[in-house]
Amino acid sequence: MKQLDKIQSRMADELAKMNEIIAESLHTPNVLMNRIVSGYLEKKGKQIRPMLVILSAQMFGKVNNEVLHAGAALEMLHNASLIHDDVVDETSLRRGLPTVNAVWGNHIAVLVGDFFVSNALAAGIKTGYTNIISSLSALGKELSLGEIDQICNVREHHFDEQSYFMMISKKTASLFVNCIKMGAEAAGASMEEFSEMVKYAELLGLCFQIKDDIFDYFPNPQIGKPTGNDLREGKVTLPLLYALNNADPEEASKMKEMIMAGDLDSDKIAILIEFAKSNGGIDYAFDVMRNMQLEADRIISRYPDSDAKETFRQIFEFIISRDK
């Protein structure tokens, strides 16, 4: 059994109940919407975010109906963002299967994403916690701003780590932070009790995005070569940022000129990927994640030992060591 499978098995009952809430929430009298939604829900992702909601509740209380609705709300909002992202990025495959926009077109995909958002808010209301509803609203804004920040970084050619980390903090880590907050709040915990774990969640979310970005520099089993998808869209992520700022200035300048010129074909992408690798970009990105993991471990060490605490640590290790 794989590492993630073992983690999921510990909360299989809670995840099953949460997925039932999602399925029931998204069911409508509309045959087309039901067909699209049911097909989408069949290809569940890792569901790390709702697992964090459940773990947070276990760490600070117990998993109740409010916690399950909070997890369902976050998972639906997350999936709404993925559906909309696929439209914006013109993505045709996700998790190895055709995206909603690829099958049904952008018009329907946007409407389906909006439908997920509305049901996420409805599930949040069922928790009875105004803080959770506020968190969902704030999260929606953060996710949107993160995407806008990324577009600005591409258009304005920001090659500094600060801009990168600010962007991924909004785009990715904000979801992880709200998983901890909403799970703990739904379990009845106070901000004082879980405030340190919010920092832990941000570090976890940052590592999740950094590792996702690293995948762009290595072969995709389906195509047998580095994907280069980020670079094709003009997105400069941590491995390449490090190389651009630490390699020989003359060589780095040529790489920046290539990026700013745009229209990156496969040959140019291959050059940039090799430049990032040969100048320590990948090693640096892994060092950053491991240092974040050490900082996170110092945070969680302050809490009493529990199964939830140990599982948090295992999820952190999985995030860094995963191969997809």
Side-chain angles (χ1 to χ4, degrees):
M1 187 181 289
K2 295 180 180 179
Q3 186 180 9
L4 184 62
D5 293 334
K6 292 179 180 178
I7 295 170
Q8 288 176 331
S9 68
R10 296 174 199 165
M11 54 192 94
D13 290 343
E14 292 88 348
L15 285 172
K17 291 175 183 176
M18 185 209 69
N19 285 320
E20 284 179 15
I21 290 172
I22 291 174
E24 290 171 3
S25 299
L26 295 171
H27 184 75
T28 77
N30 186 286
V31 175
L32 178 58
M33 182 64 82
N34 285 342
R35 182 180 173 186
I36 297 169
V37 168
S38 61
Y40 184 85
L41 294 181
E42 285 177 3
K43 49 185 179 182
K44 293 182 182 65
K46 302 177 185 70
Q47 294 204 314
I48 287 174
R49 293 155 191 85
M51 283 196 289
L52 294 177
V53 175
I54 292 167
L55 282 174
S56 182
Q58 291 175 341
M59 194 165 179
F60 298 102
K62 63 179 182 179
V63 178
N64 51 35
N65 196 49
E66 289 74 24
V67 170
L68 296 176
H69 275 86
L74 264 171
E75 183 69 350
M76 285 189 281
L77 186 60
H78 170 55
N79 280 284
S81 72
L82 296 181
I83 293 169
H84 285 156
D85 285 351
D86 288 341
V87 173
V88 172
D89 297 336
E90 299 180 350
T91 306
S92 58
L93 288 175
R94 182 174 287 278
R95 299 162 190 158
L97 296 170
T99 56
V100 176
N101 53 296
V103 177
W104 301 99
N106 288 344
H107 190 159
I108 287 180
V110 170
L111 295 174
V112 172
D114 292 346
F115 184 65
F116 271 72
V117 171
S118 299
N119 280 285
L121 293 172
I125 290 170
K126 289 183 179 179
T127 67
Y129 286 88
T130 55
N131 283 348
I132 288 177
I133 301 166
S134 296
S135 292
L136 287 168
S137 175
L139 178 56
K141 291 191 286 186
E142 284 288 286
L143 293 174
S144 299
L145 286 172
E147 290 296 331
I148 292 294
D149 282 350
Q150 186 167 65
I151 291 171
C152 290
N153 287 349
V154 171
R155 290 183 177 179
E156 297 169 18
H157 301 296
H158 290 162
F159 297 126
D160 60 289
E161 286 189 21
Q162 183 179 4
S163 296
Y164 169 79
F165 279 111
M166 286 177 63
M167 179 270 294
I168 67 171
S169 178
K170 294 175 185 175
K171 176 187 172 183
T172 305
S174 59
L175 256 170
F176 287 72
V177 165
N178 279 279
C179 289
I180 300 303
K181 290 172 64 177
M182 290 171 62
E185 286 171 347
S190 65
M191 183 64 183
E192 290 73 22
E193 291 178 272
F194 64 81
S195 60
E196 289 297 306
M197 282 301 292
V198 169
K199 299 175 186 176
Y200 183 96
E202 181 170 22
L203 293 166
L204 181 61
L206 293 174
C207 283
F208 187 94
Q209 187 59 56
I210 293 170
K211 187 60 186 283
D212 256 13
D213 292 342
I214 289 173
F215 288 139
D216 206 48
Y217 295 81
F218 290 92
N220 182 317
Q222 295 179 332
I223 61 177
K225 60 183 178 180
T227 61
N229 289 331
D230 289 336
L231 286 170
R232 196 167 285 109
E233 296 169 12
K235 300 173 185 175
V236 180
T237 54
L238 191 58
L240 183 54
L241 282 174
Y242 175 81
L244 290 171
N245 290 310
N246 292 275
D248 174 74
E250 186 175 345
E251 185 183 11
S253 180
K254 291 178 181 178
M255 296 300 112
K256 288 178 182 178
E257 288 175 6
M258 186 186 298
I259 295 167
M260 290 188 285
D263 193 26
L264 296 174
D265 57 23
S266 297
D267 291 339
K268 291 177 181 177
I269 289 171
I271 290 171
L272 288 166
I273 287 174
E274 181 54 36
F275 170 76
K277 288 181 176 180
S278 62
N279 285 281
I282 303 298
D283 290 339
Y284 174 74
F286 271 102
D287 286 344
V288 168
M289 288 191 292
R290 288 301 181 189
N291 286 332
M292 286 183 175
Q293 186 181 28
L294 289 173
E295 184 181 348
D297 201 57
R298 285 192 290 270
I299 291 170
I300 204 169
S301 293
R302 301 166 194 160
Y303 288 92
D305 290 341
S306 66
D307 290 340
K309 175 179 172 179
E310 180 58 27
T311 304
F312 269 120
R313 282 174 163 155
Q314 291 173 1
I315 287 179
F316 213 121
E317 178 57 34
F318 166 76
I319 293 300
I320 295 175
S321 61
R322 65 197 167 104
D323 55 9
K324 62 180 179 178

mmCIF file of all heavy atoms in Angstrom, residues 282-317:
data_model
loop_
_atom_site.group_PDB
_atom_site.id
_atom_site.type_symbol
_atom_site.label_atom_id
_atom_site.label_comp_id
_atom_site.label_asym_id
_atom_site.label_seq_id
_atom_site.Cartn_x
_atom_site.Cartn_y
_atom_site.Cartn_z
ATOM 1 N N ILE A 282 17.228 22.662 -9.175
ATOM 2 C CA ILE A 282 16.420 21.583 -8.594
ATOM 3 C C ILE A 282 16.880 21.289 -7.169
ATOM 4 O O ILE A 282 16.066 21.167 -6.244
ATOM 5 C CB ILE A 282 16.503 20.308 -9.452
ATOM 6 C CG1 ILE A 282 16.048 20.590 -10.892
ATOM 7 C CG2 ILE A 282 15.657 19.199 -8.824
ATOM 8 C CD1 ILE A 282 14.622 21.049 -11.031
ATOM 9 N N ASP A 283 18.185 21.184 -6.986
ATOM 10 C CA ASP A 283 18.724 20.931 -5.645
ATOM 11 C C ASP A 283 18.319 22.049 -4.682
ATOM 12 O O ASP A 283 17.979 21.793 -3.522
ATOM 13 C CB ASP A 283 20.252 20.825 -5.694
ATOM 14 C CG ASP A 283 20.727 19.564 -6.398
ATOM 15 O OD1 ASP A 283 19.930 18.610 -6.488
ATOM 16 O OD2 ASP A 283 21.878 19.544 -6.860
ATOM 17 N N TYR A 284 18.380 23.272 -5.172
ATOM 18 C CA TYR A 284 18.006 24.408 -4.331
ATOM 19 C C TYR A 284 16.535 24.314 -3.912
ATOM 20 O O TYR A 284 16.205 24.533 -2.740
ATOM 21 C CB TYR A 284 18.242 25.710 -5.075
ATOM 22 C CG TYR A 284 17.747 26.936 -4.331
ATOM 23 C CD1 TYR A 284 18.433 27.429 -3.221
ATOM 24 C CD2 TYR A 284 16.576 27.581 -4.733
ATOM 25 C CE1 TYR A 284 17.970 28.547 -2.533
ATOM 26 C CE2 TYR A 284 16.110 28.698 -4.045
ATOM 27 C CZ TYR A 284 16.806 29.176 -2.949
ATOM 28 O OH TYR A 284 16.336 30.270 -2.262
ATOM 29 N N ALA A 285 15.655 23.974 -4.858
ATOM 30 C CA ALA A 285 14.228 23.872 -4.549
ATOM 31 C C ALA A 285 13.975 22.801 -3.490
ATOM 32 O O ALA A 285 13.160 22.988 -2.573
ATOM 33 C CB ALA A 285 13.436 23.572 -5.822
ATOM 34 N N PHE A 286 14.689 21.672 -3.597
ATOM 35 C CA PHE A 286 14.539 20.621 -2.586
ATOM 36 C C PHE A 286 15.083 21.085 -1.233
ATOM 37 O O PHE A 286 14.507 20.776 -0.183
ATOM 38 C CB PHE A 286 15.245 19.332 -3.031
ATOM 39 C CG PHE A 286 14.377 18.421 -3.842
ATOM 40 C CD1 PHE A 286 14.502 18.367 -5.227
ATOM 41 C CD2 PHE A 286 13.412 17.625 -3.233
ATOM 42 C CE1 PHE A 286 13.689 17.540 -5.984
ATOM 43 C CE2 PHE A 286 12.593 16.790 -3.982
ATOM 44 C CZ PHE A 286 12.734 16.745 -5.366
ATOM 45 N N ASP A 287 16.182 21.833 -1.245
ATOM 46 C CA ASP A 287 16.724 22.367 0.011
ATOM 47 C C ASP A 287 15.719 23.304 0.681
ATOM 48 O O ASP A 287 15.551 23.282 1.909
ATOM 49 C CB ASP A 287 18.033 23.121 -0.244
ATOM 50 C CG ASP A 287 19.206 22.194 -0.542
ATOM 51 O OD1 ASP A 287 19.076 20.986 -0.254
ATOM 52 O OD2 ASP A 287 20.218 22.678 -1.067
ATOM 53 N N VAL A 288 15.067 24.126 -0.120
ATOM 54 C CA VAL A 288 14.060 25.040 0.418
ATOM 55 C C VAL A 288 12.928 24.253 1.078
ATOM 56 O O VAL A 288 12.487 24.567 2.190
ATOM 57 C CB VAL A 288 13.493 25.953 -0.699
ATOM 58 C CG1 VAL A 288 12.248 26.702 -0.211
ATOM 59 C CG2 VAL A 288 14.553 26.951 -1.148
ATOM 60 N N MET A 289 12.463 23.202 0.406
ATOM 61 C CA MET A 289 11.378 22.387 0.974
ATOM 62 C C MET A 289 11.808 21.698 2.258
ATOM 63 O O MET A 289 11.038 21.653 3.230
ATOM 64 C CB MET A 289 10.901 21.349 -0.058
ATOM 65 C CG MET A 289 10.122 21.933 -1.210
ATOM 66 S SD MET A 289 9.310 20.659 -2.221
ATOM 67 C CE MET A 289 10.734 19.860 -2.965
ATOM 68 N N ARG A 290 13.010 21.158 2.276
ATOM 69 C CA ARG A 290 13.472 20.458 3.487
ATOM 70 C C ARG A 290 13.642 21.441 4.649
ATOM 71 O O ARG A 290 13.343 21.096 5.800
ATOM 72 C CB ARG A 290 14.788 19.733 3.199
ATOM 73 C CG ARG A 290 14.633 18.510 2.312
ATOM 74 C CD ARG A 290 13.693 17.473 2.914
ATOM 75 N NE ARG A 290 13.558 16.284 2.067
ATOM 76 C CZ ARG A 290 12.671 15.315 2.272
ATOM 77 N NH1 ARG A 290 11.811 15.408 3.292
ATOM 78 N NH2 ARG A 290 12.604 14.279 1.475
ATOM 79 N N ASN A 291 14.089 22.646 4.368
ATOM 80 C CA ASN A 291 14.207 23.650 5.430
ATOM 81 C C ASN A 291 12.831 24.055 5.946
ATOM 82 O O ASN A 291 12.647 24.273 7.151
ATOM 83 C CB ASN A 291 14.963 24.885 4.915
ATOM 84 C CG ASN A 291 16.456 24.629 4.772
ATOM 85 O OD1 ASN A 291 17.025 23.800 5.479
ATOM 86 N ND2 ASN A 291 17.092 25.322 3.844
ATOM 87 N N MET A 292 11.871 24.146 5.045
ATOM 88 C CA MET A 292 10.498 24.437 5.461
ATOM 89 C C MET A 292 9.942 23.297 6.307
ATOM 90 O O MET A 292 9.233 23.516 7.288
ATOM 91 C CB MET A 292 9.602 24.657 4.239
ATOM 92 C CG MET A 292 9.821 25.980 3.540
ATOM 93 S SD MET A 292 8.676 26.204 2.156
ATOM 94 C CE MET A 292 9.075 27.888 1.659
ATOM 95 N N GLN A 293 10.281 22.073 5.928
ATOM 96 C CA GLN A 293 9.830 20.913 6.691
ATOM 97 C C GLN A 293 10.407 20.939 8.105
ATOM 98 O O GLN A 293 9.704 20.629 9.083
ATOM 99 C CB GLN A 293 10.225 19.623 5.976
ATOM 100 C CG GLN A 293 9.667 18.364 6.640
ATOM 101 C CD GLN A 293 10.090 17.104 5.910
ATOM 102 O OE1 GLN A 293 11.149 17.061 5.268
ATOM 103 N NE2 GLN A 293 9.277 16.057 5.989
ATOM 104 N N LEU A 294 11.681 21.308 8.237
ATOM 105 C CA LEU A 294 12.302 21.419 9.563
ATOM 106 C C LEU A 294 11.625 22.481 10.405
ATOM 107 O O LEU A 294 11.373 22.290 11.600
ATOM 108 C CB LEU A 294 13.795 21.737 9.413
ATOM 109 C CG LEU A 294 14.699 20.617 8.891
ATOM 110 C CD1 LEU A 294 16.101 21.146 8.636
ATOM 111 C CD2 LEU A 294 14.739 19.451 9.880
ATOM 112 N N GLU A 295 11.317 23.618 9.772
ATOM 113 C CA GLU A 295 10.621 24.689 10.492
ATOM 114 C C GLU A 295 9.233 24.232 10.919
ATOM 115 O O GLU A 295 8.794 24.486 12.051
ATOM 116 C CB GLU A 295 10.516 25.925 9.600
ATOM 117 C CG GLU A 295 9.880 27.120 10.301
ATOM 118 C CD GLU A 295 9.759 28.338 9.401
ATOM 119 O OE1 GLU A 295 10.367 28.352 8.310
ATOM 120 O OE2 GLU A 295 9.041 29.284 9.799
ATOM 121 N N ALA A 296 8.541 23.535 10.023
ATOM 122 C CA ALA A 296 7.205 23.028 10.344
ATOM 123 C C ALA A 296 7.264 22.011 11.481
ATOM 124 O O ALA A 296 6.387 21.982 12.351
ATOM 125 C CB ALA A 296 6.580 22.398 9.104
ATOM 126 N N ASP A 297 8.303 21.177 11.471
ATOM 127 C CA ASP A 297 8.421 20.164 12.524
ATOM 128 C C ASP A 297 8.658 20.810 13.884
ATOM 129 O O ASP A 297 8.162 20.320 14.907
ATOM 130 C CB ASP A 297 9.557 19.199 12.197
ATOM 131 C CG ASP A 297 9.417 17.883 12.940
ATOM 132 O OD1 ASP A 297 8.377 17.222 12.791
ATOM 133 O OD2 ASP A 297 10.339 17.535 13.692
ATOM 134 N N ARG A 298 9.389 21.927 13.903
ATOM 135 C CA ARG A 298 9.572 22.651 15.166
ATOM 136 C C ARG A 298 8.247 23.200 15.678
ATOM 137 O O ARG A 298 7.996 23.226 16.887
ATOM 138 C CB ARG A 298 10.576 23.797 14.965
ATOM 139 C CG ARG A 298 12.029 23.336 14.857
ATOM 140 C CD ARG A 298 13.000 24.497 14.959
ATOM 141 N NE ARG A 298 12.948 25.355 13.776
ATOM 142 C CZ ARG A 298 13.714 25.178 12.702
ATOM 143 N NH1 ARG A 298 14.577 24.173 12.656
ATOM 144 N NH2 ARG A 298 13.627 26.003 11.686
ATOM 145 N N ILE A 299 7.383 23.598 14.758
ATOM 146 C CA ILE A 299 6.067 24.123 15.141
ATOM 147 C C ILE A 299 5.198 23.027 15.730
ATOM 148 O O ILE A 299 4.643 23.161 16.817
ATOM 149 C CB ILE A 299 5.366 24.758 13.919
ATOM 150 C CG1 ILE A 299 6.078 26.041 13.504
ATOM 151 C CG2 ILE A 299 3.898 25.045 14.236
ATOM 152 C CD1 ILE A 299 5.606 26.612 12.176
ATOM 153 N N ILE A 300 5.083 21.918 15.014
ATOM 154 C CA ILE A 300 4.163 20.870 15.448
ATOM 155 C C ILE A 300 4.685 20.131 16.680
ATOM 156 O O ILE A 300 3.902 19.528 17.431
ATOM 157 C CB ILE A 300 3.870 19.894 14.283
ATOM 158 C CG1 ILE A 300 2.520 19.188 14.511
ATOM 159 C CG2 ILE A 300 4.999 18.898 14.091
ATOM 160 C CD1 ILE A 300 2.017 18.420 13.308
ATOM 161 N N SER A 301 5.984 20.192 16.923
ATOM 162 C CA SER A 301 6.565 19.532 18.101
ATOM 163 C C SER A 301 6.040 20.128 19.409
ATOM 164 O O SER A 301 6.100 19.476 20.458
ATOM 165 C CB SER A 301 8.099 19.647 18.072
ATOM 166 O OG SER A 301 8.627 18.905 16.999
ATOM 167 N N ARG A 302 5.546 21.342 19.348
ATOM 168 C CA ARG A 302 5.034 22.006 20.552
ATOM 169 C C ARG A 302 3.677 21.455 20.989
ATOM 170 O O ARG A 302 3.219 21.718 22.104
ATOM 171 C CB ARG A 302 4.903 23.513 20.304
ATOM 172 C CG ARG A 302 6.227 24.187 19.932
ATOM 173 C CD ARG A 302 5.995 25.574 19.382
ATOM 174 N NE ARG A 302 7.188 26.101 18.722
ATOM 175 C CZ ARG A 302 7.179 27.087 17.834
ATOM 176 N NH1 ARG A 302 6.034 27.661 17.501
ATOM 177 N NH2 ARG A 302 8.308 27.505 17.286
ATOM 178 N N TYR A 303 3.037 20.685 20.108
ATOM 179 C CA TYR A 303 1.721 20.138 20.427
ATOM 180 C C TYR A 303 1.848 18.737 21.027
ATOM 181 O O TYR A 303 2.815 18.029 20.755
ATOM 182 C CB TYR A 303 0.848 20.084 19.171
ATOM 183 C CG TYR A 303 0.385 21.440 18.697
ATOM 184 C CD1 TYR A 303 1.108 22.167 17.759
ATOM 185 C CD2 TYR A 303 -0.785 22.007 19.195
ATOM 186 C CE1 TYR A 303 0.687 23.417 17.316
ATOM 187 C CE2 TYR A 303 -1.216 23.249 18.759
ATOM 188 C CZ TYR A 303 -0.480 23.948 17.827
ATOM 189 O OH TYR A 303 -0.903 25.184 17.414
ATOM 190 N N PRO A 304 0.863 18.337 21.856
ATOM 191 C CA PRO A 304 0.902 16.991 22.454
ATOM 192 C C PRO A 304 0.916 15.904 21.382
ATOM 193 O O PRO A 304 0.355 16.084 20.298
ATOM 194 C CB PRO A 304 -0.399 16.933 23.275
ATOM 195 C CG PRO A 304 -0.784 18.362 23.497
ATOM 196 C CD PRO A 304 -0.315 19.110 22.295
ATOM 197 N N ASP A 305 1.571 14.792 21.679
ATOM 198 C CA ASP A 305 1.612 13.681 20.739
ATOM 199 C C ASP A 305 0.211 13.130 20.496
ATOM 200 O O ASP A 305 -0.603 13.028 21.426
ATOM 201 C CB ASP A 305 2.511 12.570 21.265
ATOM 202 C CG ASP A 305 3.986 12.962 21.245
ATOM 203 O OD1 ASP A 305 4.335 13.912 20.522
ATOM 204 O OD2 ASP A 305 4.779 12.315 21.966
ATOM 205 N N SER A 306 -0.065 12.783 19.259
ATOM 206 C CA SER A 306 -1.351 12.202 18.886
ATOM 207 C C SER A 306 -1.216 11.566 17.515
ATOM 208 O O SER A 306 -0.243 11.815 16.786
ATOM 209 C CB SER A 306 -2.453 13.279 18.839
ATOM 210 O OG SER A 306 -2.194 14.205 17.797
ATOM 211 N N ASP A 307 -2.194 10.735 17.156
ATOM 212 C CA ASP A 307 -2.192 10.129 15.824
ATOM 213 C C ASP A 307 -2.293 11.205 14.743
ATOM 214 O O ASP A 307 -1.647 11.099 13.687
ATOM 215 C CB ASP A 307 -3.362 9.150 15.684
ATOM 216 C CG ASP A 307 -3.163 7.895 16.525
ATOM 217 O OD1 ASP A 307 -2.014 7.606 16.905
ATOM 218 O OD2 ASP A 307 -4.170 7.205 16.803
ATOM 219 N N ALA A 308 -3.091 12.237 15.012
ATOM 220 C CA ALA A 308 -3.256 13.317 14.036
ATOM 221 C C ALA A 308 -1.933 14.046 13.814
ATOM 222 O O ALA A 308 -1.575 14.367 12.675
ATOM 223 C CB ALA A 308 -4.329 14.294 14.508
ATOM 224 N N LYS A 309 -1.222 14.312 14.886
ATOM 225 C CA LYS A 309 0.072 14.991 14.793
ATOM 226 C C LYS A 309 1.044 14.183 13.944
ATOM 227 O O LYS A 309 1.730 14.741 13.066
ATOM 228 C CB LYS A 309 0.634 15.199 16.198
ATOM 229 C CG LYS A 309 2.029 15.785 16.256
ATOM 230 C CD LYS A 309 2.481 15.962 17.708
ATOM 231 C CE LYS A 309 3.930 16.357 17.835
ATOM 232 N NZ LYS A 309 4.341 16.542 19.258
ATOM 233 N N GLU A 310 1.108 12.895 14.160
ATOM 234 C CA GLU A 310 2.006 12.035 13.393
ATOM 235 C C GLU A 310 1.591 11.985 11.923
ATOM 236 O O GLU A 310 2.440 11.980 11.022
ATOM 237 C CB GLU A 310 2.015 10.624 13.984
ATOM 238 C CG GLU A 310 2.927 9.641 13.258
ATOM 239 C CD GLU A 310 4.376 10.097 13.205
ATOM 240 O OE1 GLU A 310 4.818 10.854 14.106
ATOM 241 O OE2 GLU A 310 5.082 9.709 12.246
ATOM 242 N N THR A 311 0.279 11.984 11.676
ATOM 243 C CA THR A 311 -0.201 11.942 10.293
ATOM 244 C C THR A 311 0.121 13.234 9.565
ATOM 245 O O THR A 311 0.438 13.227 8.368
ATOM 246 C CB THR A 311 -1.716 11.660 10.254
ATOM 247 O OG1 THR A 311 -1.985 10.447 10.968
ATOM 248 C CG2 THR A 311 -2.209 11.505 8.828
ATOM 249 N N PHE A 312 0.031 14.361 10.264
ATOM 250 C CA PHE A 312 0.445 15.636 9.666
ATOM 251 C C PHE A 312 1.891 15.537 9.173
ATOM 252 O O PHE A 312 2.225 15.979 8.075
ATOM 253 C CB PHE A 312 0.326 16.770 10.681
ATOM 254 C CG PHE A 312 -1.003 17.477 10.673
ATOM 255 C CD1 PHE A 312 -1.799 17.507 11.810
ATOM 256 C CD2 PHE A 312 -1.451 18.139 9.534
ATOM 257 C CE1 PHE A 312 -3.019 18.163 11.810
ATOM 258 C CE2 PHE A 312 -2.670 18.797 9.522
ATOM 259 C CZ PHE A 312 -3.465 18.812 10.668
ATOM 260 N N ARG A 313 2.747 14.972 10.008
ATOM 261 C CA ARG A 313 4.156 14.831 9.626
ATOM 262 C C ARG A 313 4.316 13.915 8.409
ATOM 263 O O ARG A 313 5.132 14.182 7.523
ATOM 264 C CB ARG A 313 4.946 14.262 10.806
ATOM 265 C CG ARG A 313 5.257 15.300 11.891
ATOM 266 C CD ARG A 313 5.905 14.648 13.078
ATOM 267 N NE ARG A 313 6.574 15.621 13.937
ATOM 268 C CZ ARG A 313 6.800 15.431 15.234
ATOM 269 N NH1 ARG A 313 6.414 14.302 15.814
ATOM 270 N NH2 ARG A 313 7.421 16.351 15.945
ATOM 271 N N GLN A 314 3.537 12.860 8.375
ATOM 272 C CA GLN A 314 3.621 11.931 7.250
ATOM 273 C C GLN A 314 3.135 12.583 5.959
ATOM 274 O O GLN A 314 3.691 12.328 4.879
ATOM 275 C CB GLN A 314 2.815 10.672 7.559
ATOM 276 C CG GLN A 314 3.440 9.830 8.653
ATOM 277 C CD GLN A 314 2.554 8.668 9.078
ATOM 278 O OE1 GLN A 314 1.460 8.481 8.536
ATOM 279 N NE2 GLN A 314 3.014 7.890 10.033
ATOM 280 N N ILE A 315 2.112 13.422 6.053
ATOM 281 C CA ILE A 315 1.622 14.131 4.867
ATOM 282 C C ILE A 315 2.683 15.098 4.360
ATOM 283 O O ILE A 315 2.899 15.225 3.150
ATOM 284 C CB ILE A 315 0.302 14.875 5.185
ATOM 285 C CG1 ILE A 315 -0.842 13.868 5.319
ATOM 286 C CG2 ILE A 315 -0.018 15.904 4.105
ATOM 287 C CD1 ILE A 315 -2.183 14.477 5.649
ATOM 288 N N PHE A 316 3.373 15.760 5.281
ATOM 289 C CA PHE A 316 4.428 16.687 4.871
ATOM 290 C C PHE A 316 5.513 15.941 4.096
ATOM 291 O O PHE A 316 5.982 16.396 3.039
ATOM 292 C CB PHE A 316 5.031 17.401 6.088
ATOM 293 C CG PHE A 316 5.484 18.805 5.812
ATOM 294 C CD1 PHE A 316 4.962 19.868 6.518
ATOM 295 C CD2 PHE A 316 6.428 19.072 4.831
ATOM 296 C CE1 PHE A 316 5.360 21.176 6.253
ATOM 297 C CE2 PHE A 316 6.845 20.364 4.560
ATOM 298 C CZ PHE A 316 6.302 21.426 5.276
ATOM 299 N N GLU A 317 5.912 14.790 4.604
ATOM 300 C CA GLU A 317 6.935 13.990 3.925
ATOM 301 C C GLU A 317 6.428 13.509 2.574
ATOM 302 O O GLU A 317 7.176 13.515 1.585
ATOM 303 C CB GLU A 317 7.342 12.799 4.792
ATOM 304 C CG GLU A 317 8.369 11.872 4.166
ATOM 305 C CD GLU A 317 9.668 12.577 3.773
ATOM 306 O OE1 GLU A 317 10.070 13.532 4.483
ATOM 307 O OE2 GLU A 317 10.279 12.182 2.773
#
